[in-house]
Structure formats: structure tokens, C-alpha cells
Amino acid sequence: MAASTKQVLSECSLNQDFINVEINGDAYQMLNQSNLEQLVSELNVAEVGYVFSINNQIVPHSEWASTILSEGDRISLFQAIAGG
């Protein structure tokens, strides 16, 4: 991920609560109570063709909006690749 992505994710205003998460091995700061769908939006990745795991557990696309990120979560982002 580009350095500008890290900057966007870590920008904060004074009256917000933040959590620290790890995305593909890099440290990020997110708003407390952010969900996985919001993270996808902030990372500016397509909603199709990617798989996320949180703490080694795959999160189905249908659960992105209801999956709230927590302090210390280890998030992995994988791009699906078709082959044969």
C-alpha cells in the first residue's frame, strides 16, 4: 500500500477515539468503531476480487459492514487471482 494510504488512514481530529490495527504487516490508526466496509472504502480497493481476514479468520463479504474492527486486529488483504 502506498504511503499516502497510510496517511489517509492515520489522519485524526482532536475529539475522536482511535484504535491501532495492522494491515498486511503495516501499522494503521482507524476511528474506533470502524467496520471492515469502511476500511475497504478508505483503502480505495474494489469490493470485488478481494478477501480479508482478521486475526486469521476469513470475513465473508456479506459481513464486512457488521464486522467492527478492534484494537490490535491483524488484518490481511488478499487479491483473488484466477488461474488454471
Side-chain angles (χ1 to χ4, degrees):
M1 283 175 255
S4 61
T5 301
K6 291 181 185 179
Q7 182 180 3
V8 168
L9 293 176
S10 64
E11 288 177 354
C12 57
S13 58
L14 293 175
N15 294 323
Q16 302 290 335
D17 290 331
F18 293 86
I19 59 170
N20 297 298
V21 298
E22 184 180 292
I23 304 171
N24 288 353
D26 294 324
Y28 289 88
Q29 202 171 52
M30 297 289 300
L31 282 172
N32 193 23
Q33 296 298 310
S34 292
N35 63 41
L36 188 54
E37 188 172 69
Q38 291 166 316
L39 174 63
V40 169
S41 176
E42 292 210 27
L43 291 175
N44 202 26
V45 296
E47 289 191 24
V48 177
Y50 286 90
V51 175
F52 285 88
S53 73
I54 298 178
N55 304 320
N56 297 317
Q57 296 294 316
I58 298 293
V59 180
H61 186 275
S62 62
E63 295 178 14
W64 288 5
S66 63
T67 300
I68 304 300
L69 303 176
S70 299
E71 177 71 28
D73 276 346
R74 293 182 331 274
I75 302 163
S76 297
L77 166 63
F78 304 95
Q79 185 173 13
I81 300 174

